[in-house]
Amino acid sequence: MIRIVSLAVLAFLSGLGVICLIALSRQEAGAEAAMSAVLAVTVGWAYVGSGLLTWRHGRRRIGSILVFIGLAWFATYLAYSNDSFWFTLGTALEDVYLVGVMYLVLVFPHGRLSGRVDRALMAVGVVLGTVVELAWLVLADSGVVCADCPDNAVRIVSDHAWANGILQAQRGAALVVSVVAVVLFVRRIRLASTPVRRSLAPVLWTGGAFCVAMVVTIVNDVAGEPMGQAPNFMCGLVFAAIPVSILASMLRQRLARGAVAQLVVQLDGGPGGVDLRDALSRALGDPDLAVGYWLASTETYVDSRGRPFDPDDPEKASTLVQRNGRPVAVLVHDKALQDDRALVDSVCAAAGMALENERLRADLEARLVELRASRERLVRAAESERRRLERDLHDGAQQRLIAVAMSIALAEANLRANPVAAGAALDEARDGLARAMDELRTLSQGIRPAVLVERGLGAALAELARRSTVSATVDLRLRAAVPADIETAAYYVASEALTNTAKHAHASGVTIAAETHDGLLRLRVTDDGVGGAEARDGSGLRGLADRVEGFGGTLNIHSPAAGGTSLSVELPCV
């Protein structure tokens, strides 16, 4: 605040100093001097005033550039001094404010140059406005400026031809720079997104108009002023409009925040409801706005239909919306809105409750999407299992029983005529029946293991640990009864986890822990292997997750690279 006040005082004193210089100058008098003084003070204070207001409202870099242009404009009026030194200094600085204007238009609204062309253009402008201007002064007489001007304090040698050549070269280069700047402005507006175009338009149009006016003024000067002072007047008028366009841009942003009130009204239960994304899009002025909703259960974002949503877009910016310290949603919007954080924050605050409600709806949609996908996977898995059982029965036990039937028929045919052959056929039938029983027992183990039926989950997990090819330990704290279907689900989770450990983990040890607590069966299988396990679609773990979720349980996998794998399951026992 102290710095802003200091700059305001400096600008005020500078304006008074300019009035004094013009009033005492031998170069102008009467009405012409009064008009020059009014123009000087009005334009200079307009730039400094708009700069301080912009600075005050958080856009410090743009504000400082405007203040610099205003003070540089005041500095040009040192050329009205009757003293040689101050006259020469004012003449040397007469183009500095033009360099400031070009820099302002190139960096607006972000406050920084955005590319090589901008930087090259700016470098050429600085050289033209300082180095070339000083080179001209070293060779020029003060009479070139005006008849009553003081002596040029830095003139080393008077060479009108060289001085005029430098001046014409400066004008030609300035003409090229102005044309390139106009092309850049038009291209930037054409390529800009809607929020950027809305933000840039007031300044770019006035800046572009100023460059066009500069082109006309330069051509008029080179041609010997056939249009008189009209181009200079036009250039000064457009120059004075630039700070007004800055303030208009700020006012537009202020008015845009009124859209927040409209947003609140729209979200306050209007007839038929309102599309939240469309309402936010209108409030922020970004037709391409996208909204993702946070799901704490999976720590991912989804869209309003429950589908996966990726907030990382290199061409966009994102704003996280929180309520009570918890993430609710993310808005992916145009980068230009980062320059108006107050508007974005106001919209997020106004829509917080609606976003929370929409998040719950999106969470439900995501659960429905996952439920449908899980059901499809379960149906496919059940069909695949049915076909496997059918194939195993057909290729195994069924063939055995057919062979037994044929052996019995052969024994029956030979019973009287050849008792020895009949006995051999019966022996073969007996062996076939035994093998069929073994195969049927193996099949039944795949459906529900006998140890699980006869001795319960604890004994079945211990049996899995004994059969494991990886050294396994068991920690059992099963103090409450577990329903048979829950036991089966837990058994197959542990079995699949041990199988994956043996195949993929390269582990030296695995631990199976199971406990019942608060109506839940908690099962954890942990190994010290390489990690990296995922429950991808089509994998055994994905099928286990579907089975567990089908019983209202949850399955979580923590498997960092080189950190081992921990598979945790919670299943309701009531």
Side-chain angles (χ1 to χ4, degrees):
M1 188 64 183
I2 295 176
R3 187 173 298 179
I4 292 177
V5 173
S6 301
L7 289 172
V9 172
L10 176 61
F12 179 75
L13 295 177
S14 298
L16 294 181
V18 167
I19 293 173
C20 293
L21 284 172
I22 294 175
L24 299 174
S25 176
R26 297 191 299 266
Q27 300 174 31
E28 292 183 355
E32 187 176 354
M35 289 182 62
S36 295
V38 171
L39 174 66
V41 173
T42 301
V43 173
W45 282 350
Y47 269 94
V48 174
S50 63
L52 294 178
L53 281 173
T54 304
W55 192 331
R56 179 83 168 75
H57 286 86
R59 304 178 72 172
R60 180 173 178 176
R61 184 170 294 185
I62 297 297
S64 62
I65 297 171
L66 286 166
V67 171
F68 170 80
I69 294 172
L71 295 178
W73 168 262
F74 283 138
T76 64
Y77 283 86
L78 292 172
Y80 278 79
S81 175
N82 297 322
D83 179 78
S84 175
F85 171 79
W86 293 111
F87 161 76
T88 304
L89 180 60
T91 304
L93 296 175
E94 66 179 358
D95 291 334
V96 172
Y97 80 93
L98 296 175
V99 177
V101 171
M102 185 170 68
Y103 183 71
L104 170 67
V105 178
L106 288 175
V107 304
F108 189 85
H110 303 295
R112 54 187 176 275
L113 296 171
S114 59
R116 293 181 180 178
V117 176
D118 286 1
R119 286 191 286 271
L121 203 65
M122 199 62 230
V124 172
V126 171
V127 171
L128 291 176
T130 55
V131 177
V132 176
E133 186 74 14
L134 185 60
W136 172 75
L137 276 173
V138 168
L139 302 173
D141 289 322
S142 59
V144 176
V145 180
C146 68
D148 295 325
C149 289
D151 292 336
N152 179 2
V154 297
R155 179 177 60 82
I156 297 176
V157 60
S158 180
D159 192 323
H160 178 73
W162 271 97
N164 186 63
I166 291 174
L167 181 61
Q168 297 306 323
Q170 183 189 39
R171 287 172 173 172
L175 180 63
V176 173
V177 168
S178 299
V179 171
V180 173
V182 170
V183 173
L184 280 179
F185 299 152
V186 173
R187 181 175 180 272
R188 186 173 297 179
I189 290 177
R190 287 185 60 190
L191 297 179
S193 61
T194 301
V196 173
R197 190 179 298 117
R198 187 180 293 111
S199 178
L200 291 177
V203 179
L204 285 185
W205 282 121
T206 53
F210 178 70
C211 289
V212 172
M214 284 292 298
V215 170
V216 175
T217 302
I218 294 170
V219 172
N220 183 58
D221 290 344
V222 172
E225 298 186 349
M227 292 182 284
Q229 294 299 311
N232 292 329
F233 176 77
M234 178 181 65
C235 191
L237 188 64
V238 178
F239 172 69
I242 291 177
V244 177
S245 70
I246 297 285
L247 293 177
S249 178
M250 289 180 55
L251 179 61
R252 185 205 62 77
Q253 290 185 354
R254 285 285 190 182
L255 293 175
R257 291 170 194 168
V260 177
Q262 184 180 0
L263 175 65
V264 172
V265 173
Q266 289 178 326
L267 298 179
D268 191 23
V274 63
D275 186 287
L276 182 57
R277 195 214 70 85
D278 289 346
L280 292 172
S281 174
R282 287 191 294 271
L284 292 174
D286 183 0
D288 297 323
L289 178 78
V291 184
Y293 302 95
W294 175 252
L295 300 186
S297 57
T298 57
E299 296 187 348
T300 57
Y301 288 100
V302 297
D303 63 12
S304 59
R305 296 184 179 181
R307 299 171 301 191
F309 179 87
D310 184 7
D312 297 325
D313 186 343
E315 302 298 324
K316 300 277 189 176
S318 61
T319 297
L320 179 65
V321 183
Q322 294 183 311
R323 280 178 61 81
N324 302 321
R326 296 182 296 103
V328 173
V330 62
L331 306 184
V332 180
H333 52 74
D334 196 285
K335 288 183 178 180
L337 290 171
Q338 290 181 304
D339 295 316
D340 196 358
R341 294 305 311 176
L343 173 62
V344 177
D345 292 342
S346 298
V347 167
C348 291
M353 179 65 75
L355 285 168
E356 173 68 17
N357 293 336
E358 192 68 19
R359 186 195 70 80
L360 295 174
R361 193 174 295 112
D363 189 0
L364 179 59
E365 288 289 341
R367 291 177 184 272
L368 290 175
V369 168
E370 177 56 28
L371 178 60
R372 284 192 290 267
S374 177
R375 284 179 174 176
E376 290 176 2
R377 290 192 296 267
L378 285 172
V379 169
R380 288 196 297 269
E383 180 63 17
S384 176
E385 185 67 12
R386 185 191 65 78
R387 290 177 180 175
R388 184 188 68 81
L389 289 173
E390 184 181 61
R391 184 176 59 253
D392 289 347
L393 285 170
H394 179 273
D395 296 342
Q398 182 176 336
Q399 297 300 321
R400 297 288 182 193
L401 292 173
I402 291 174
V404 167
M406 292 176 64
S407 297
I408 293 174
L410 181 61
E412 184 179 9
N414 292 321
L415 186 59
R416 294 180 181 177
N418 191 350
V420 176
L426 289 173
D427 290 340
E428 186 176 345
R430 187 182 299 108
D431 292 340
L433 282 173
R435 286 192 291 270
M437 290 293 294
D438 289 338
E439 290 176 0
L440 288 173
R441 189 177 295 108
T442 301
L443 284 174
S444 67
Q445 285 284 106
I447 299 172
R448 181 166 169 80
V451 66
L452 191 62
V453 175
E454 297 168 1
R455 299 167 55 195
L457 179 61
L461 293 177
E463 180 66 21
L464 281 176
R466 282 193 297 272
R467 295 204 312 260
S468 172
T469 57
V470 179
S471 177
T473 57
V474 180
D475 181 10
L476 300 176
R477 302 179 186 180
L478 303 173
R479 299 184 178 88
V482 179
D485 53 353
I486 300 298
E487 284 188 327
T488 303
Y491 174 85
Y492 281 112
V493 168
S495 178
E496 182 70 22
L498 289 175
T499 300
N500 286 340
T501 298
K503 287 183 177 180
H504 310 296
H506 304 291
S508 61
V510 60
T511 300
I512 305 172
E515 67 170 345
T516 51
H517 184 70
D518 292 337
L520 291 175
L521 169 64
R522 294 189 176 97
L523 174 70
R524 181 187 296 272
V525 182
T526 307
D527 66 53
D528 57 2
V530 297
E534 295 182 38
R536 299 181 299 272
D537 284 349
S539 68
L541 290 177
R542 179 67 266 178
L544 290 180
D546 292 337
R547 182 192 291 262
V548 169
E549 290 167 5
F551 288 107
T554 59
L555 183 147
N556 294 305
I557 300 173
H558 180 66
S559 187
T565 298
S566 178
L567 184 148
S568 302
V569 171
E570 286 191 355
L571 287 161
C573 294
V574 293

